[in-house]
Amino acid sequence: MGQGLDWKRDGPQWPHHDLSRFVWAAGLQWHVQRFAGPAHAPCLVLLHGTGASTHSWRDLAPLLAARFEVVTMDLPGHAFTGMPPAGVGSPQLSLPGMARAVHGLMQTLAISPAMLVGHSAGAAVAVRMCLDGLATPRSVLGLNAALMPLGGLAGRLFSPVAKLMASAPFVPRLFAWHANEPAVLQRLLLSTGSTLDATGTALYRQLVSSPEHAAGALGMMANWDLDSLWRDLPRLAVPLDLVVGERDRTVPPEQATRAMGRLSPALNAQYLQLDGLGHLAHEEQPDTVARLIAERFDSRA
């Protein structure tokens, strides 16, 4: 079976481990990385997607730190951040609960982000925070943002099946054991439409082979509810830009087009396509994404 992540063993090799710290907030022990940036620089908070971690920003964050303070964290139950005390059924793994938990962490860190950047499900957390008055950034930027609920039979079955899987103790271990197989992991990564280098692949192998991380990802999926977020999108008052990888196979690009149609025209939301890139575009071409983030930040001044 898979081997869990251990900071004493795995931390020294983790990307930017020298910037890592562990912070107690909102009833959780968080793994946080903070890139100082220039003096008095505006703060960017980066929120990863389901099943990822701070590692996914390993190349992007240093580029952004040339002009911003950058804060990243492992979301609850992911990588080196602890699972909520209530386990996979915890409200802190729901979308509103995770938004409140991140808000609690930001309060403990005494930061007020000028921009929230979220990848996939992380974008949903960022939008939920703004809708619930938990953050008031200048803008939000979603990278292949997962904002739209699954429709039809898949939508009706997904959450109950995920809950059943997450609640069975052997499932995360079985998933971690299976996903650790090189061929299985390669298929998982290829299914995103992205091509990663050897370092990125090795880091995802460490993550997916951890039963605790698998349980956190399954718990997040089991508790996720995008119906309310989709319903609330028209009242979003913070400008939102959606950056889409043209080859994304995880969140189809047309979902961003539909999301744009639900936003107030007053937000002047922008749809920006990255040709030839997939769901993990920020890991494939971090320089391109860093430049785009800076441009969108400046445009919202």
Side-chain angles (χ1 to χ4, degrees):
M1 290 294 182
Q3 177 177 248
L5 288 168
D6 178 81
W7 184 253
K8 288 184 179 179
R9 182 190 65 235
D10 302 313
Q13 288 77 45
W14 205 250
H16 308 296
H17 63 92
D18 54 314
L19 299 178
S20 290
R21 56 186 287 209
F22 287 87
V23 178
W24 185 262
L28 296 170
Q29 179 172 265
W30 299 76
H31 172 232
V32 177
Q33 293 187 337
R34 199 164 183 172
F35 299 74
H40 310 297
C43 178
L44 265 58
V45 169
L46 310 183
L47 301 168
H48 68 74
T50 309
S53 77
T54 57
H55 89 281
S56 64
W57 310 111
R58 64 194 177 281
D59 295 321
L60 178 61
L63 296 174
L64 293 172
R67 62 167 295 191
F68 301 102
E69 177 189 14
V70 180
V71 178
T72 75
M73 76 287 294
D74 294 335
L75 291 175
H78 286 64
F80 300 105
T81 291
M83 178 73 84
V88 295
S90 171
Q92 284 185 305
L93 293 179
S94 69
L95 181 49
M98 199 164 285
R100 288 191 297 271
V102 173
H103 169 67
L105 174 63
M106 294 196 313
Q107 284 188 311
T108 299
L109 295 175
I111 58 172
S112 180
M115 187 182 203
L116 293 174
V117 177
H119 172 243
S120 194
V125 175
V127 170
R128 188 76 262 171
M129 290 177 72
C130 295
L131 286 167
D132 294 349
L134 302 172
T136 54
R138 179 188 297 184
S139 66
V140 173
L141 187 141
L143 295 167
N144 293 314
L147 305 177
M148 184 177 168
L150 288 172
L153 181 62
R156 293 195 296 274
L157 292 178
F158 178 77
S159 183
V161 170
K163 286 179 180 176
L164 180 63
M165 292 176 65
S167 64
F170 68 89
V171 171
R173 290 196 169 276
L174 182 62
F175 175 85
W177 172 75
H178 185 60
N180 191 41
E181 290 293 321
V184 174
L185 177 65
Q186 197 59 36
R187 284 197 299 272
L188 284 172
L189 293 176
L190 286 174
S191 71
T192 67
S194 289
T195 302
L196 297 186
D197 60 17
T199 298
T201 300
L203 288 165
Y204 274 108
R205 178 170 291 113
Q206 279 188 269
L207 285 175
V208 301
S209 63
S210 167
E212 291 80 8
H213 177 81
L218 286 169
M220 187 175 177
M221 289 188 286
N223 290 279
W224 223 233
D225 172 22
L226 289 175
D227 292 289
S228 298
L229 184 75
W230 190 251
R231 186 177 61 245
D232 293 343
L233 266 183
R235 65 177 182 84
L236 181 67
V238 173
L240 173 66
D241 294 314
L242 296 176
V243 179
V244 176
E246 173 251 337
R247 296 184 57 204
D248 190 355
R249 298 176 188 169
T250 303
V251 179
E254 58 266 24
Q255 288 196 15
T257 305
R258 294 185 63 181
M260 294 280 291
R262 293 192 60 76
L263 296 170
S264 167
L267 298 183
N268 190 28
Q270 298 293 306
Y271 175 103
L272 303 152
Q273 182 169 293
L274 298 174
D275 294 335
L277 300 181
H279 191 63
L280 306 175
H282 57 299
E283 297 187 61
E284 294 180 278
Q285 288 190 15
D287 51 343
T288 299
V289 174
R291 186 167 56 251
L292 193 152
I293 288 172
E295 289 172 357
R296 295 315 304 157
F297 181 85
D298 291 339
S299 75
R300 298 299 188 180

